[in-house]
Amino acid sequence: MDIGSLVGIFTTRFLGIFIEAISFLLLGTLISGLIEVFVSKDDVVRLMPKNPIAATVVGSTMGFLFPVCECGVVPVTRRLYQKGLPVSVGMTFLLAAPVMNPIVLASTYAAFGWGPVLIGRYVITWIMAMVIGLLFSLQRHPQRIVNPIALASFSGGSGMAPSVSAGRTPLLPGIKQALILAGEEFFEMGRYLIVGALLASLMQTFIAQETLKALATNPVNSVWVMAALAFILSVCSTVDAFLALSFARTFTVGSLLTFLTFGPMVDIKSTIMYLGVFKRRTVIYMIILPLLISVLIGIWLNLNVRF
Amino acid sequence: MIANTANIRKWLQALLLLGLGFYFLDNMLTGRVYFYINERFGWLSWLATVIFLVLGIINIYDLLRERRNAQIQIHDAHDHEAHDHHDHAHDHGHQHGLAPSWGILGLVALPLVLGLAIPAKPLGAAAIDSSGISTSFSAVQGSGSTTTQFALASTDRNVLDWVRAFNSTENLNEFNGQEADLVGFVYRDVRFKDPTQFMIARFTISCCVADASAIGVYAQYPDAAKLTQDGWVHIKGHFTIQQFEGQATPILVADLVEPTNQPQHPYLYP
């Protein structure tokens, strides 16, 4: 086939993923900007239950209140820690929120509809976040988990919500500030989406599907491949469902679920951000535990469940 | 005032947002957006259009105001009286983050550059080679009901309706003699030994072209050799059950095949 038509096909596929995904990314950055400006974190901490298990459950679903993707969740968690949120609850929130939020629910539904992928994504994510959060709640000394620098209160720098004593931000300037922040975050996050969309559409266009099939249909190897892809691509959780969709015709369902559950918790960019909040040893656990749980569930599903 | 590169990058950021807004607006108004996504997500792209335009305008407004404030400040520095103006310049609501790097700007510009430089074209026959074409139902399962195609008059069914109908029946002979009226693009591959035979093909997408899959109905026409691969045609005829590669297959025997324009919605939605 001539190179001209290949470039045309590649462009159509690339723009397809970009155009479909970008609305969700824009919505995510807008909401994140609004939270940054208008939500006072004190209110949330005051409502937190004292019982560790109940608090972990609340932490795992708090994303529906703070619809942030994996990029937005780290600064929000750090701020919640400064306001006294228990470390294990923050951990559960951090791991669950990138999936447990209305925007990701909408984009996953748009891509896969109501079915095993959507349900599996939510059930597995919830299990992973709860197990890991409860494990960390056994550690009684939070200073061994969290980087002390992250807990030191810092004065409101760029884009910080004003302290409570300063009162609420007035509506119109607040909205304008949220929009400016959203524009900045769009560039910060958009690059990961674009690199991910580039790679997915290059693979769809230039790699013969037969070559991929041997790897993609193997119940074990496919899961590891998708876990590695999720880590490398670092795509925002609000749009990763559309990338998974482009692999859905060749790859096993278990491997797609690993991509959709492990990816939002751990990838290159979130690892870098985690290092700013947690101790190095904690971060290693935060990579290995989700990886093992997610891969094991993915392989188990491939071997035992017919979709 | 000397423009440093951070300032240039901030301006490029604002112009890119505005540019993406106009690119989306153009896609929406021309309907080209449906070369990329399912019709039911059109409203989301309208939303993206509006957000891009608003972000672009706000950013440009902010940069202009910043420049004016900076000029006031320089002016004040010369004029040692108006101290209150200093307060005004500092009372700026927020501090900007860092301007995006050249690498980020280049990446975010890429969709815009590709969208403008490469002529927009929906997936066609050439895109089938890497992924294959399907005549089976499993590949076109979706949210649509499996019974709706039978509620349609036979000449109102599209390629997808027929493929579904063929795959949900026990007895293909019931289609013998049924009339059909279809629009699709011409597709042939190595399996087509008989020059009068070809396929009327369409792509189906449920979300966007990321999940596109090609489906088709076999057709037969004496002058088929003159039809160009990937050309859009309107075809009328009736089905007969024949052998194709050793399998009983409904083949649309055409009475009329005429070239037609690519439809406004080139994909079918399962």
Side-chain angles (χ1 to χ4, degrees):
Chain A
M1 203 183 326
D2 65 303
I3 190 76
S5 63
L6 275 179
V7 169
I9 294 165
F10 157 74
T11 305
T12 303
R13 289 206 163 115
F14 169 70
L15 288 174
I17 299 174
F18 175 78
I19 290 174
E20 180 71 48
I22 208 72
S23 323
F24 291 95
L25 187 72
L26 283 169
L27 273 179
T29 58
L30 264 188
I31 290 175
S32 153
L34 288 171
I35 288 176
E36 190 96 354
V37 176
F38 287 111
V39 175
S40 146
K41 277 79 188 177
D42 288 331
D43 306 340
V44 185
V45 177
R46 211 178 307 127
L47 297 171
M48 193 58 57
K50 295 285 174 283
N51 177 304
I53 293 177
T56 310
V57 172
V58 170
S60 70
T61 52
M62 237 158 54
F64 283 97
L65 255 170
F66 293 101
V68 283
C69 67
E70 67 220 65
C71 335
V73 77
V74 178
V76 171
T77 309
R78 189 168 72 154
R79 226 160 294 132
L80 291 171
Y81 277 157
Q82 286 158 5
K83 308 264 177 186
L85 187 77
V87 168
S88 62
V89 178
M91 183 78 75
T92 307
F93 169 68
L94 185 73
L95 296 176
V99 170
M100 296 280 172
N101 81 57
I103 297 174
V104 177
L105 186 63
S107 65
T108 312
Y109 176 78
F112 288 97
W114 183 251
V117 173
L118 183 114
I119 298 166
R121 177 173 208 186
Y122 278 83
V123 172
I124 297 169
T125 299
W126 191 76
I127 293 172
M128 288 166 72
M130 285 296 292
V131 167
I132 297 167
L134 289 173
L135 276 178
F136 275 101
S137 75
L138 298 175
Q139 171 59 268
R140 295 268 166 237
H141 303 284
Q143 64 272 23
R144 294 199 186 147
I145 297 175
V146 178
N147 200 335
I149 302 162
L151 287 179
S153 63
F154 51 98
S155 55
S158 86
M160 277 294 297
S163 57
V164 180
S165 56
R168 300 272 172 184
T169 316
L171 189 63
L172 273 178
I175 287 176
K176 191 183 148 254
Q177 188 179 337
L179 284 171
I180 298 267
L181 287 172
E184 283 167 7
E185 192 168 273
F186 170 76
F187 277 80
E188 201 52 43
M189 301 304 130
R191 61 175 155 163
Y192 295 104
L193 165 65
I194 290 166
V195 171
L198 265 177
L199 208 90
S201 43
L202 283 172
M203 279 174 72
Q204 275 195 323
T205 310
F206 293 99
I207 297 180
Q209 298 300 299
E210 278 71 34
T211 348
L212 266 182
K213 272 220 163 90
L215 195 64
T217 53
N218 180 301
V220 177
N221 294 346
S222 62
V223 174
W224 286 107
V225 167
M226 288 306 270
L229 263 182
F231 186 79
I232 296 165
L233 289 180
S234 300
V235 175
C236 182
S237 61
T238 49
V239 295
D240 60 358
F242 301 111
L243 292 193
L245 186 62
S246 69
F247 295 109
R249 283 181 63 219
T250 36
F251 276 83
T252 58
V253 176
S255 70
L256 296 179
L257 283 170
T258 298
F259 182 84
L260 291 172
T261 53
F262 175 63
M265 295 191 184
V266 182
D267 56 38
I268 291 175
K269 74 172 176 333
S270 55
T271 302
I272 295 167
M273 292 198 277
Y274 289 167
L275 284 168
V277 179
F278 298 97
K279 296 219 159 150
R280 193 178 294 261
R281 212 164 56 108
T282 316
V283 175
I284 292 172
Y285 283 118
M286 288 172 72
I287 296 171
I288 289 177
L289 289 175
L291 178 68
L292 285 182
I293 302 177
S294 173
V295 165
L296 281 178
I297 294 179
I299 293 174
W300 185 84
L301 286 174
N302 276 345
L303 294 175
N304 294 288
V305 181
R306 281 181 57 87
F307 292 99
Chain B
M1 191 181 165
I2 301 156
N4 59 13
T5 124
N7 205 19
I8 295 173
R9 281 179 281 135
K10 275 186 196 167
W11 272 100
L12 283 175
Q13 172 183 345
L15 292 175
L16 257 179
L17 287 168
L18 201 64
L20 280 166
F22 281 114
Y23 171 65
F24 266 65
L25 187 64
D26 180 57
N27 268 335
M28 297 311 297
L29 294 178
T30 57
R32 273 201 294 272
V33 69
Y34 300 118
F35 294 5
Y36 305 108
I37 64 166
N38 187 316
E39 183 181 20
R40 72 191 159 109
F41 297 116
W43 65 275
L44 270 172
S45 294
W46 271 118
L47 196 69
T49 309
V50 172
I51 297 177
F52 271 134
L53 290 174
V54 168
L55 290 183
I57 290 167
I58 291 247
N59 267 275
I60 287 174
Y61 168 82
D62 213 52
L63 282 167
L64 287 175
R65 209 181 58 159
E66 213 167 64
R67 200 162 83 163
R68 206 184 54 214
N69 283 346
Q71 277 163 356
I72 290 172
Q73 221 169 355
I74 288 166
H75 182 72
D76 288 350
H78 287 291
D79 225 45
H80 290 278
E81 296 156 22
H83 284 289
D84 53 340
H85 278 274
H86 277 282
D87 291 338
H88 180 251
H90 285 295
D91 182 22
H92 188 205
H94 74 280
Q95 294 264 274
H96 267 297
L98 291 171
S101 72
W102 289 107
I104 295 180
L105 285 170
L107 270 178
V108 176
L110 188 69
L112 191 58
V113 170
L114 281 178
L116 297 177
I118 314 272
K121 194 173 177 298
L123 294 181
I128 295 177
D129 292 350
S130 63
S131 47
I133 189 163
S134 176
T135 52
S136 78
F137 179 64
S138 61
V140 291
Q141 270 173 334
S143 47
S145 154
T146 55
T147 51
T148 45
Q149 68 271 12
F150 292 107
L152 294 169
S154 77
T155 49
D156 288 340
R157 295 178 192 168
N158 62 29
V159 174
L160 179 62
D161 296 326
W162 282 112
V163 170
R164 278 188 166 145
F166 296 153
N167 283 280
S168 53
T169 185
E170 296 289 306
N171 176 22
L172 280 176
N173 285 323
E174 67 178 288
F175 297 107
N176 229 332
Q178 286 203 9
E179 272 185 76
D181 187 331
L182 294 173
V183 171
F185 59 85
V186 175
Y187 176 74
R188 277 188 215 90
D189 56 36
V190 288
R191 295 173 300 149
F192 292 83
K193 311 276 192 285
D194 182 341
T196 67
Q197 291 184 333
F198 60 102
M199 256 179 152
I200 290 292
R202 293 294 285 262
F203 271 95
T204 67
I205 63 171
S206 12
C207 170
C208 58
V209 290
D211 67 288
S213 60
I215 52 164
V217 165
Y218 292 96
Q220 192 168 335
Y221 187 61
D223 271 350
K226 287 183 192 157
L227 301 173
T228 52
Q229 174 90 337
D230 208 22
W232 284 87
V233 290
H234 172 215
I235 180 167
K236 273 183 175 179
H238 59 274
F239 281 103
T240 61
I241 308 301
Q242 302 179 32
Q243 294 292 312
F244 187 87
E245 289 200 310
Q247 284 219 304
T249 305
I251 295 188
L252 183 61
V253 177
D255 306 318
L256 167 93
V257 179
E258 56 182 10
T260 183
N261 290 327
Q262 173 184 300
Q264 188 74 35
H265 291 263
Y267 308 123
L268 298 174
Y269 311 123

